[in-house]
Amino acid sequence: MLEPHRLAELMAARIFHDLGSPMASITAILPQATDPAAHAILMETAGELRARMKLFSAAFGHGDDLGWAELGLLLQGAPMAHRVRFELPGAAGLLSAGRVRLMLSLALLTAEALPRGGVVHIAEDSPGWVTFLPEGRDAAWSPTLAELMAGGEMEAALADGPRRVLAPWALAQAAAEGMELSFALGVGQAVAPLRLGPPG
């Protein structure tokens, strides 16, 4: 059973953690901001923080309808963007705010499957279906996601804490959008792609 308040608490903790690193860097550099080298680092870090906040606003907050290209731009602010590349389809048309939230959440969840970096492939493989595939060394889906996909309880998934909260969050978003997640089998990849599509 989904516990909305617990899910919200864990998402808040996760967001604060992911914003904390650039904020700490800015705080540490500020006293030296008059130094040209320090100023350049400060401006770069501030840009990273701004990009991350825009991404989190769209993925976890109340956003706008967006196109696929705009999703790609937002994902440049991902915490793991320095080691993970996101490849998205050049599809036309707009995605609703709810679908944007779902797509971004699944993209971030897929990136978490790449501990050593790599590429997140996102593709529309048939009408109404989108596939998310992590490609890279030691790629592996979150154990929390695997357990939930195998019928595990949401309460047990939430017990894994903020580090693993993207899996229950993504499944909750999929349910809110009337969509289902499944693993694609027998496709020859080292890691099974995650598929999003209509129920049934």
Side-chain angles (χ1 to χ4, degrees), residues 56-98:
F56 286 177
S57 177
F60 309 129
H62 179 71
D64 300 314
D65 298 353
L66 298 175
W68 283 96
E70 292 169 292
L71 297 191
L73 292 175
L74 285 171
L75 285 167
Q76 293 176 11
M80 62 289 287
H82 63 288
R83 57 181 171 80
V84 173
R85 187 172 81 253
F86 296 89
E87 291 192 353
L88 287 82
L94 289 177
L95 298 169
S96 68

Side-chain angles (χ1 to χ4, degrees), residues 103-140:
M103 293 296 172
L104 292 175
S105 298
L106 289 171
L108 293 172
L109 180 62
T110 307
E112 284 192 346
L114 295 167
R116 299 181 181 273
V119 183
V120 170
H121 299 279
I122 304 172
E124 289 186 302
D125 57 2
S126 59
W129 287 90
V130 181
T131 298
F132 297 79
L133 174 66
E135 182 182 39
R137 184 180 171 190
D138 297 334

Side-chain angles (χ1 to χ4, degrees), residues 37-38 40 45 53 59 69 76 86 90 94 104 122 160 171 182 185 188 197:
T45 306
M53 291 177 70
Q76 293 176 11
F86 296 89
L94 289 177
L104 292 175
I122 304 172
D160 288 341
L171 264 71
S182 61
L185 302 176

